[in-house]
Amino acid sequence: MTPGRLRIYLGAAPGVGKTYAMLAEGRRRRDRGTDVVAGLVETHGRPRTAEQLDGLETVPRRTVEYRGTAFAELDTDAVIARRPRVVLIDELAHTNVPGSRNAKRWQDVEEILAAGIDVISTVNVQHLESVNDVVEQITGVPQRETVPDEMVRRADQVELVDMAPEALRRRMAHGNVYAPEKIDAALGNYFRVGNLTALRELALLWLADKVDDQLGRYRADNGIRGTWEARERVVVALTGGPEGDTLVRRAARIADRSKGADLLAVHVVPGDGLTGTGPAHLVRQRALVESLGGTYHQVVGDDVPDALLDFARGVNATQLVLGASRRGRVAQLLSRGVGVTTSALSGPIDVHLVTHEEVSRGRRPMAPGGGLTRWRRAAGLALAVLVLPLLTLLLHHLQAELSLPSDILLFLVAVVGVALVGGLYPALFAAVSGSLLLNYYFTPPFNRFTIAERENLLALAVYVVVAAAVSAVVDLNFRRSRDAARARTEAEVLSTLAGSVLRGRSALRDVLEHLRETFGLTAVTLLERDPGTEGALGLHSDPGRWRIVSTAGGPPCAAPGDGETGIPVDDGLVLVMSGRTLPARDRRVLEAYAAHAAVALRQQRLTAEAEQVRPLAEADRIRTALLNAVGHDLRTPLASARAAVDGLRSPDVAWDEGDRDELADTAAESLGRLDRLVTDLLDMSRLQAGMLTVSRRRVAVADVVPRAADGPERSRVHLRLSGPLPEVLADPALLVRVLDNLVANAVRHNPPGEPVLLTASAHAGRVEFRVIDRGPGIPPAEWDAVFVPFQRLGDRGTGAGVGLGLALSRGLAEAMGGTLVPEETPGGGLTMVVTLPSAGTGDEPEEEVADGHRRRVR
């Protein structure tokens, strides 16, 4: 059976019109004669959406009982039994009631698709699994209902339903999305302009990736190899040489000129897995690419230009960055090289050939004869000296029975045997010596180094050429086998290194210890030159100019010259090994270890710096705040109280009863301010130290809000509660104190005669308390500053307080598991919003938070 096709309307945010668009598509298909039914559609009481549902056949929902309550869910079996051509199913990420056959609605949709029925569904971007944590970070609202990205990516069609943030907020304000009692809370919480803009960008980026995948599949299915410049992609080719850093930075600058361009780095490995490049350069260049926002790739190919272009075309690249050739002039005359060949075959892909400082230095030639050890070459030479005379003696006795071609073949066999033992040079010696012996003993005229017949001359010449060729092939095979074995060993060593570093607690120490164990060393030390030293230091510089960063084994080396082997990492770091001298062929692996050590050191230092800066910054902020408080805020009420008391005690002034009462009231008011300030200071210090006791329990909103407004200025505070509200989880005393601080602050800045509005409403499992004033307000750029302790924007008069109330209020709100954020009041002013979790319908245990620990009290 052919599976059904899936079409999804992806919403940038709730309320943009996904369900409306789905129903409109269903009506269009029905009008064209398609059998369309509504499997499950949620109108959420929106009249225009309900109008679209009128006239569409609806499959009855299935009723599920859970904890004594009946819930209506999608009836998957009924939809499959009805077998329409198209079914409309809303809210793909919905979680089914416990006891249902599938936990998620998207699993129900999979069953319907498997039955051959087309499905049209909807989902919001915040419900996609891959962006769920990002959405929570942006909006502060966790999304418990999610759908796997792969489910949406498998859809045959995904259409974005989008709306400008301002337009969506106007829709909400007009009552087209939520009920009137939820509008204020929604506009001030989830549906802020910044939140909606961020969600819109997330949806566009996610859909762009989906479209890019579809484009890639289409090109692959249709065999399209040409470049379609739908999106700028810059590919930089890395050889593993030191010039790669220059190429990566140049490619990054090219990508930056095209905003949104992708940067990709690729390294081509020969098909035999053997390469002469150093891994240290590639490790460093990979880190550089990733730090610039690019990605690193590695491909295998025998022909480098073809492999590069295949990769570039595969990723639909538009530009390719290559380094100018490092080969000498003679080599460039004999072969065009990778750069020129790639440019000639690139087609529509722009190729940039970048010059660098390594251009004129050429490539390091491979040492000839490096396939075998000296002992093997000596053994091959000895074999040639021994076998050739014996073979000559044997053939001389059989000269009457064998012809010259037979003698040549037997000498060729001897040369091959010498090549197998000793490699190229002994085999060449055997070939030349054998030709001389054949000429002297077996070629007429005998016992003379002359050749009478041209046929014999040709036979000897062919013998020398074949012997030399066979010797070269055998030697190359030995060299390749040795290199392959070494490459395999290096790969095993490096993979083991990576695993040990990932499992270890101290990455740098693990790298050094692993290196010491692998090569049987006494000690491995990472040295760093003294910061005051200028210029690069040699490996034999003064020990006093180096310091030990980390070491494994012992005793450590105090300077690079103290060890047998030194690997410079950069101008300031050297990896020094002692215990035995390591051969030059191990240098590539040692450079990889050095690069890993440098990366581990950098990560270790960044982590340490972050840990050190955090408490220092906090301590500095607290110290400055306390100094400001002692220097000004504590002294002012204390001076007022002292002046009043001194006036009362003065024998030189005769005070009447009214004056005495006024002075006493002044002293009492000043001392009261001082008492509140000291209390706030102590509570703030307890909050920062995690020592404040917070007892969270179920609190009725109607019991808390009137108490917060029951102050000296109660006549200037108006209350408004939006319908029946759920209980909140909070400490009632601290919640009253938070709201009291906010109300007092709002009254202080509100114009005379204007009331302060204190409201409470519920939305998405949370309760919001809003304190709204019509004062001068605060610019959004300064909102964070008002919550800094002892900060008073503009120092608005002596009655502005000590600048601690808002900071303390936010701290208390967060200690209760809530938030405190400012907003602009429409028409002017400032709104402070306290958000706390609602108690819900379950039996939540009361909690007490003290000394930084949370414990249940019932």
Side-chain angles (χ1 to χ4, degrees):
M1 179 182 296
T2 303
R5 298 173 60 84
L6 175 62
R7 179 188 179 108
I8 293 178
Y9 286 94
L10 176 66
V16 294
K18 304 178 305 302
T19 304
Y20 187 92
M22 177 186 70
L23 290 172
E25 176 66 18
R27 295 176 69 91
R28 282 193 296 270
R29 296 196 183 193
R30 184 203 60 181
D31 294 342
R32 292 196 298 264
T34 304
D35 183 14
V36 179
V37 301
L40 191 147
V41 177
E42 299 288 356
T43 64
H44 297 290
R46 299 165 189 169
R48 294 190 177 181
T49 304
E51 290 176 2
Q52 290 289 320
L53 186 59
D54 289 343
L56 285 174
E57 179 185 347
T58 301
V59 176
R61 301 188 185 187
R62 179 172 54 90
T63 302
V64 179
E65 294 284 341
Y66 180 68
R67 291 186 177 180
T69 305
F71 297 89
E73 294 286 2
L74 172 67
D75 195 336
T76 305
D77 293 332
V79 171
I80 296 176
R82 169 62 175 77
R83 299 199 63 79
R85 185 69 189 88
V86 178
V87 60
L88 310 180
I89 300 176
D90 206 2
E91 298 182 358
L92 188 64
H94 171 77
T95 300
N96 292 330
V97 174
S100 302
R101 180 167 59 193
N102 295 313
K104 295 286 188 176
R105 184 168 293 166
W106 60 266
Q107 296 171 322
D108 296 331
V109 169
E110 284 186 327
E111 290 190 18
I112 295 174
L113 292 172
I117 302 172
D118 293 348
V119 176
I120 303 178
S121 188
T122 65
V123 69
N124 283 328
V125 68
Q126 70 264 24
H127 295 298
L128 296 176
E129 186 65 45
S130 63
V131 299
N132 184 257
D133 55 340
V134 180
V135 173
E136 181 178 358
Q137 181 181 0
I138 294 171
T139 64
V141 179
Q143 301 293 334
R144 296 179 177 83
E145 295 186 331
T146 60
V147 60
D149 289 50
E150 183 59 27
M151 177 66 185
V152 184
R153 290 188 185 278
R154 290 204 311 263
D156 300 278
Q157 299 178 54
V158 178
E159 183 174 335
L160 179 65
V161 182
D162 190 18
M163 183 177 292
E166 294 79 5
L168 179 55
R169 286 172 60 87
R170 283 196 299 270
R171 284 195 66 197
M172 295 192 63
H174 294 158
N176 295 331
V177 179
Y178 288 133
E181 63 272 11
K182 297 182 179 180
I183 293 176
D184 288 343
L187 289 175
N189 188 22
Y190 193 90
F191 289 85
R192 300 173 185 168
V193 173
N195 291 357
L196 296 176
T197 303
L199 291 175
R200 190 183 193 193
E201 184 176 12
L202 277 176
L204 290 171
L205 290 174
W206 192 94
L207 189 60
D209 289 339
K210 159 73 175 175
V211 173
D212 195 53
D213 292 341
Q214 286 181 324
L215 179 61
R217 287 197 300 269
Y218 176 81
R219 285 162 48 85
D221 294 342
N222 292 273
I224 300 174
R225 295 178 55 83
T227 299
W228 288 4
E229 299 185 15
R231 184 174 182 177
E232 286 288 336
R233 285 184 175 85
V234 181
V235 174
V236 54
L238 301 178
T239 64
E243 77 281 358
D245 297 39
T246 302
L247 301 183
V248 169
R249 292 188 176 94
R250 180 62 182 275
R253 290 196 296 271
I254 295 174
D256 287 341
R257 296 191 189 109
S258 301
K259 190 173 183 180
D262 295 333
L263 174 64
L264 302 92
V266 59
H267 172 64
V268 179
V269 180
D272 55 9
L274 305 177
T275 175
T277 61
H281 294 304
L282 285 176
V283 170
R284 185 180 65 253
Q285 289 157 15
R286 177 174 186 169
L288 178 61
V289 169
E290 292 173 348
S291 69
L292 294 172
T295 56
Y296 177 85
H297 307 266
Q298 190 164 288
V299 298
V300 177
D302 294 322
D303 188 279
V304 175
D306 285 345
L308 283 177
L309 291 174
D310 287 343
F311 175 81
R313 296 186 183 109
V315 299
N316 201 24
T318 56
Q319 302 187 62
L320 181 60
V321 178
L322 303 173
S325 177
R326 289 188 289 158
R327 301 179 306 148
R329 294 183 178 179
V330 176
Q332 293 185 35
L333 290 175
L334 297 176
S335 174
R336 294 193 302 174
V338 174
V340 177
T341 305
T342 305
S343 300
L345 301 176
S346 63
I349 301 177
D350 297 334
V351 178
H352 304 263
L353 284 177
V354 180
T355 59
H356 48 84
E357 58 184 7
E358 301 291 328
V359 170
S360 60
R361 299 185 181 182
R363 289 187 179 272
R364 192 175 186 180
M366 181 180 293
L372 298 175
T373 63
R374 291 182 179 179
W375 182 88
R376 288 284 297 272
R377 289 197 293 271
L381 186 61
L383 181 63
V385 173
L386 178 64
V387 169
L388 291 181
L390 293 176
L391 181 60
T392 302
L393 181 61
L394 176 64
L395 294 179
H396 186 69
H397 287 291
L398 299 175
Q399 188 171 8
E401 302 177 11
L402 297 176
S403 62
L404 179 61
S406 299
D407 296 336
I408 291 176
L409 289 176
L410 292 175
F411 267 88
L412 185 60
V413 171
V415 172
V416 172
V418 172
L420 291 173
V421 175
L424 178 62
Y425 292 140
L428 290 177
F429 170 77
V432 174
S433 301
S435 66
L436 294 175
L437 292 173
L438 286 168
N439 182 14
Y440 190 83
Y441 289 105
F442 304 104
T443 304
F446 300 109
N447 300 322
R448 295 175 59 185
F449 288 105
T450 58
I451 302 175
E453 300 179 5
R454 293 182 178 179
E455 182 179 355
N456 294 337
L457 176 64
L458 177 61
L460 288 177
V462 171
Y463 157 75
V464 173
V465 172
V466 172
V470 171
S471 302
V473 170
V474 172
D475 183 76
L476 179 62
N477 176 67
F478 273 114
R479 184 184 295 115
R480 290 297 189 184
S481 299
R482 183 205 62 176
D483 291 343
R486 178 160 295 279
R488 183 168 58 251
T489 302
E490 291 175 357
E492 293 175 356
V493 169
L494 294 178
S495 64
T496 305
L497 166 65
S500 64
V501 169
L502 291 174
R503 291 189 297 269
R505 292 173 295 177
S506 175
L508 178 57
R509 181 63 183 273
D510 289 341
V511 170
L512 302 184
E513 182 62 29
H514 191 272
L515 173 58
R516 188 189 67 80
E517 293 176 354
T518 300
F519 291 95
L521 301 170
T522 303
V524 178
T525 308
L526 183 64
L527 297 177
E528 184 177 36
R529 70 174 182 176
D530 184 47
T533 304
E534 296 182 357
L537 298 178
L539 294 181
H540 300 284
S541 56
D542 182 9
R545 307 174 76 180
W546 296 88
R547 65 184 185 88
I548 299 174
V549 177
S550 183
T551 184
C557 300
D562 294 347
E564 283 77 13
T565 307
I567 302 294
V569 182
D570 52 32
D571 291 340
L573 289 175
V574 174
L575 190 64
V576 184
M577 289 147 280
S578 62
R580 68 185 183 94
T581 302
L582 297 176
R585 62 176 178 267
D586 291 329
R587 189 172 185 86
R588 288 177 54 202
V589 177
L590 297 178
E591 288 178 347
Y593 272 99
H596 276 288
V599 172
L601 175 61
R602 182 169 61 250
Q603 293 177 342
Q604 177 178 302
R605 286 181 171 173
L606 289 175
T607 302
E609 289 176 3
E611 293 299 327
Q612 292 175 0
V613 168
R614 188 180 298 111
L616 288 176
E618 184 66 18
D620 182 69
R621 187 180 68 82
I622 295 175
R623 181 172 60 252
T624 303
L626 288 175
L627 288 175
N628 290 337
V630 173
H632 179 269
D633 297 317
L634 289 175
R635 186 176 300 171
T636 301
L638 186 61
S640 298
R642 182 173 181 177
V645 173
D646 288 345
L648 288 173
R649 296 181 58 190
S650 175
D652 300 331
V653 181
W655 304 101
D656 59 23
E657 192 66 25
D659 292 335
R660 287 181 178 276
D661 291 342
E662 185 177 350
L663 289 174
D665 291 341
T666 300
E669 181 181 353
S670 299
L671 291 174
R673 290 176 55 196
L674 185 61
D675 178 68
R676 288 193 298 272
L677 174 59
V678 171
T679 302
D680 287 347
L681 281 171
L682 291 175
D683 287 345
M684 179 59 72
S685 65
R686 292 192 186 102
L687 272 174
Q688 293 172 339
M691 302 293 291
L692 183 67
T693 300
V694 180
S695 299
R696 298 178 63 199
R697 57 181 63 108
R698 301 168 69 96
V699 179
V701 175
D703 295 339
V704 175
V705 173
R707 291 169 56 191
D710 191 15
E713 302 288 346
R714 62 180 304 174
S715 60
R716 299 184 58 185
V717 180
H718 290 183
L719 304 180
R720 188 177 72 189
L721 304 181
S722 299
L725 296 173
E727 295 178 323
V728 296
L729 288 176
D731 185 315
L734 295 184
L735 178 56
V736 171
R737 188 172 177 186
V738 170
L739 296 178
D740 183 63
N741 283 343
L742 297 178
V743 169
N745 187 70
V747 169
R748 187 181 304 118
H749 296 94
N750 216 34
E754 284 284 344
V756 170
L757 184 60
L758 174 57
T759 70
S761 59
H763 176 71
R766 304 181 74 83
V767 176
E768 289 188 347
F769 302 88
R770 309 171 76 86
V771 180
I772 306 169
D773 67 59
R774 296 290 181 178
I778 300 174
E782 299 180 358
W783 281 355
D784 290 336
V786 300
F787 295 103
V788 178
F790 308 100
Q791 297 295 316
R792 295 177 302 193
L793 298 181
D795 286 330
R796 298 168 181 159
T798 59
V802 297
L804 192 61
L806 290 179
L808 182 60
S809 297
R810 170 172 275 188
L812 295 177
E814 292 176 349
M816 292 184 290
T819 59
L820 171 58
V821 295
E823 291 181 359
E824 289 183 346
T825 302
L830 186 69
T831 299
M832 287 292 181
V833 184
V834 179
T835 304
L836 291 171
S838 62
T841 58
D843 187 19
E844 290 82 0
E846 296 182 0
E847 295 179 338
E848 183 177 280
V849 181
D851 301 339
H853 301 284
R854 185 183 302 274
R855 53 181 175 268
R856 296 183 177 182
V857 297
R858 69 172 175 87

